Structures are given as structure tokens and as C-alpha cells.
Amino acid sequence: MIDIGVNKELSVTENRFLRVTNIASILGILFMGMWMITAFFLTDYSILYASNGLLALMFSFVLIFNGKGWRVLASICFTATALFGVILFLYLLGYSSGVWVICYIIIITPYMTFPKEARKLAIGFSILGGLILIISVVLQSKINAHYDVISPYFLQIVNVSTTGLICLTIAWTLSVLIERSEESVKAEQKRSDDLLHNILPAKVVKDLKETGKTVPKRHKNVTILFTDFKGFTELVASIPAITLVNELNDIFGRFDEIVEKAGVEKIETIGDAYVAACGLEEEFTEHAINCIIAAKQMLSYLEERNKKHEIKWRMRVGIHSGPIVAGVVGKKKFSYDLFGDTINMASRMESSGEPGKINISRATFQLVKNHIDFEYRGEIYAKGKGKIEMYFVK
């Protein structure tokens, strides 16, 4: 019953106000129902228990209105019913009954039940509740009971204690709902942060969250890993597009796991090309080794995969090390990219290589020559670069 009218399209705050309205109306129904039964057994005046029954019915309309999505009407119905009940029972039972204490509920609940767009109405009802309270206290000597059949002392005890219990219940419920809302917001924020971290490096995410912008950064020595598949154009023409996408998604998904474990940062995929880099977050000397380790694991994965799948993927890998400028391009749909000749050289290393092998430049070789075995290829012509010394990693 508390969730009647709750809608996922509403904000967390709006749903919280809706739930509080439902809870307050349920408490009102119980309160009026209790008094209806009490009046039935303690008095012969049907107007007393009929009035309580009428108010219980009016409070039940709040749930109906919320169920139909009429949020403002539901809040108005609850507050107006409470106001009507106070005025009615001041007339029937007098000031000494303590019914005026219910005005405190009328003063505070509009701010917990009315949606944001009806905030002025909430203020109006709250002020009205306050005025009724002041008037009833000022004129208390003139507000006498018209049906003096129940002990005023008993009425005061029940009304004051029940009103206090209702206020306590609403306040406690509101605090619980706020805590749940905060937990929900934190969970959404974590999902948002995780998504950003999947797209951008941690340092860039931090800058964007703190300042809303990020400054392009020059890195003196970074290693770029560039992969591409041989015969991709022919493969595209020979298999359905959905199969191609599923295959690439499967392969690149595994590549993502490999580079992350190796401490390498994925930059982007361009068609069948996979670009990653190491050394962007911290200046350290192991970036070239990390890229070679990742490349070896990629090739090993493809080799095993080709044994089990009908489509055989033959991949070239090129690696080059050098200076690079990294930064975020655009104001919407952020794209983190690398700029400089180093990225072009890594591409040339890939295109000048052979399937199943890791082709590295002399710059990368100088960084890893004491840690790996290699095969010197000599000077190989690369488009737009002329002859370049290249090495195959064994």
C-alpha cells in the first residue's frame, strides 16, 4: 500500500513524497477507524462514529488518487481531510478534547507530501493549520463540546499520544526513505563513475568531475600498441554483419581484460583496429614491456580461439614508443584521444608486420632489449616514413 502510485519515471524525491503521503493517509485511516470503534461502544450518538467513518473514507481517497497518478490532488485531499477533521471535532467535542493537537501534523506534513510543483499550496495549508491552532488556543474558553459524552481527560490522552505517535512514525519513515534515497543515489553515482572510468582514464575523470574540463597533457615517453586483422575487408563481405559484430565484441572484450591486467590503457577501437597505450597515468619505464606482454597474450588468445571457431582471425601487432599528447576532444560524448607522430608510427609498425607476430620499432627495442628476445628485420619501408628499423618479438 505504501508503494501505491510509485513510478520509476518519477524522481527519487517525488517517489519519497508519494510514499510519505500514502503512509500518512494509512495512519489517518487507522486513527479514524480506532475512534469510530471507540465512539460506537462509548456513546449512542451516531454522529460521532459516523464522522470518524466519513474521515476514514476521505483518507482512503488519498490512496486512490495516488494510484491514478493525481499527486497534487492526493496531497490536497489528505491535508484538507485533516483540517476538516480538526474543525469538525472541535465543534463536536470542544477544545478540552485535545483534538487541536492534530494541527501540528497539518503544519509539518505538507512539506513532506506535496510535490515540488505544488510547493506554494503546501505553504498555504501549513499556514492555515498554524492559524487554526492559534485561533483554537486563543478562543479555547469559547470552544465547548456539543456532545459531552466522553471524558475530556480520556480524549486528551488518546489524541495527544496518538498524534505524537503519528508524528514519530512519519518522521521515522521519512528518515528511512531518505537513507534509501541516498543509497540509491550513491549506487547510481557509482554506476556513472564506473561508466566514465570505462571510457576515460582515472586522472581525466577526476579533472572532469572537479573542474568540468581537462587540460591536454604531453607525455615524454609512452608506448602505443596497435592491432589490426589481415583480410578484414574480405571477411566483412563474406559473413553477416551481426555475426561480425558479435565476433569483434567477443575478441575485443577479451582484449580489454588482457590490457587491464597488464596495466595498459585501452584508448579506442576503430573498426577492426584496437589501440592501447601504457605510460599515460604515471611516468615509469616498464610501459614498453607491459605492451609486449599484453600483445603476446592477445596473440595467444586468438591462436586458441581459432582452434575452436569456424572464423579464423589473423592479427598483426605493431608497437612504438615516444612522446604523445593526450586529451579529451569535444564537449558532448567525450572522446579521449592521442595525438602525435608516435601514434602514426605505431600504426606503421602494425601495417608493416606479419600476422601472428609483434613488430616493434627501434625506439621500443631500446627500452626492452635487455628483457626480451628479438629478431632484427633490418630497414623496412613504411608508407610516409621511408625505411625504418624494425624488430619481431620472439
Side-chain angles (χ1 to χ4, degrees), residues 77-303:
C77 181
F78 171 79
T79 312
T81 301
L83 281 168
F84 174 68
V86 171
I87 295 171
L88 175 62
F89 283 102
L90 278 173
Y91 170 79
L92 295 175
L93 302 176
Y95 179 84
S96 60
S97 65
V99 72
W100 50 268
V101 77
I102 298 174
C103 288
Y104 288 109
I105 297 178
I106 300 170
I107 292 170
I108 64 173
T109 52
Y111 302 104
M112 304 179 188
T113 58
F114 277 83
K116 186 177 180 180
E117 64 269 19
R119 188 59 59 187
K120 290 182 179 179
L121 270 175
I123 296 171
F125 275 116
S126 182
I127 293 173
L128 186 57
L131 289 174
I132 292 174
L133 176 62
I134 293 170
I135 292 170
S136 61
V137 172
V138 172
L139 301 178
Q140 58 181 286
S141 60
K142 297 181 180 180
I143 304 176
N144 299 313
H146 286 75
Y147 296 88
D148 191 11
V149 294
I150 302 177
S151 167
Y153 181 69
F154 173 76
L155 290 173
Q156 287 180 27
I157 291 176
V158 175
N159 280 323
V160 172
S161 59
T162 305
T163 300
L165 181 62
I166 290 174
C167 289
L168 179 63
T169 303
I170 291 175
W172 174 78
T173 303
L174 184 62
S175 67
V176 171
L177 292 175
I178 289 174
E179 287 178 4
R180 290 181 180 177
S181 298
E182 290 177 347
E183 290 174 0
S184 176
V185 169
K186 287 179 181 178
E188 290 296 329
Q189 185 175 0
K190 185 179 183 302
R191 280 194 285 268
S192 177
D193 288 345
D194 290 343
L195 180 61
L196 278 176
H197 282 291
N198 283 337
I199 300 172
L200 305 171
K203 179 65 169 61
V204 175
V205 172
K206 182 180 178 182
D207 289 343
L208 287 173
K209 290 176 66 177
E210 292 179 352
T211 65
K213 60 182 180 180
T214 181
V215 179
K217 185 177 180 181
R218 179 178 293 276
H219 301 271
K220 294 180 180 179
N221 202 2
V222 172
T223 298
I224 307 297
L225 184 155
F226 205 108
T227 76
D228 202 356
F229 293 107
K230 184 176 181 180
F232 183 74
T233 303
E234 293 78 7
L235 185 62
V236 169
S238 64
I239 62 174
I242 189 65
T243 302
L244 177 67
V245 172
N246 288 335
E247 287 279 311
L248 287 176
N249 183 59
D250 186 35
I251 293 170
F252 286 162
R254 180 64 183 127
F255 284 4
D256 289 346
E257 296 172 359
I258 290 171
V259 297
E260 183 179 9
K261 188 175 180 180
V264 179
E265 184 84 34
K266 175 187 176 181
I267 303 301
E268 62 180 342
T269 57
I270 310 169
D272 64 320
Y274 188 97
V275 184
C278 191
L280 295 170
E281 289 296 317
E282 299 177 15
E283 300 294 342
F284 69 109
T285 58
E286 303 297 321
H287 49 83
I289 295 176
N290 286 3
C291 283
I292 291 174
I293 291 173
K296 284 184 174 182
Q297 292 177 357
M298 288 176 173
L299 291 173
S300 178
Y301 160 71
L302 280 181
E303 185 178 348

Side-chain angles (χ1 to χ4, degrees), residues 3-72:
D3 285 335
I4 290 175
V6 171
N7 192 329
K8 292 181 180 180
E9 294 181 0
L10 298 176
S11 69
V12 174
T13 302
E14 289 174 322
N15 278 326
R16 183 169 69 234
F17 284 170
L18 190 148
R19 287 188 173 100
V20 172
T21 307
N22 287 339
I23 291 168
S25 66
I26 292 168
L27 291 172
I29 293 169
L30 294 175
F31 183 54
M32 292 298 106
M34 176 195 72
W35 268 123
M36 183 177 67
I37 295 171
T38 303
F40 182 80
F41 284 104
L42 295 182
T43 178
D44 293 329
Y45 292 107
S46 59
I47 189 172
L48 293 179
Y49 49 81
S51 298
N52 285 289
L54 174 64
L55 290 170
L57 180 64
M58 292 173 68
F59 278 126
S60 67
F61 278 106
V62 176
L63 299 174
I64 296 173
F65 293 152
N66 270 337
K68 292 184 175 295
W70 302 337
R71 286 281 295 107
V72 177

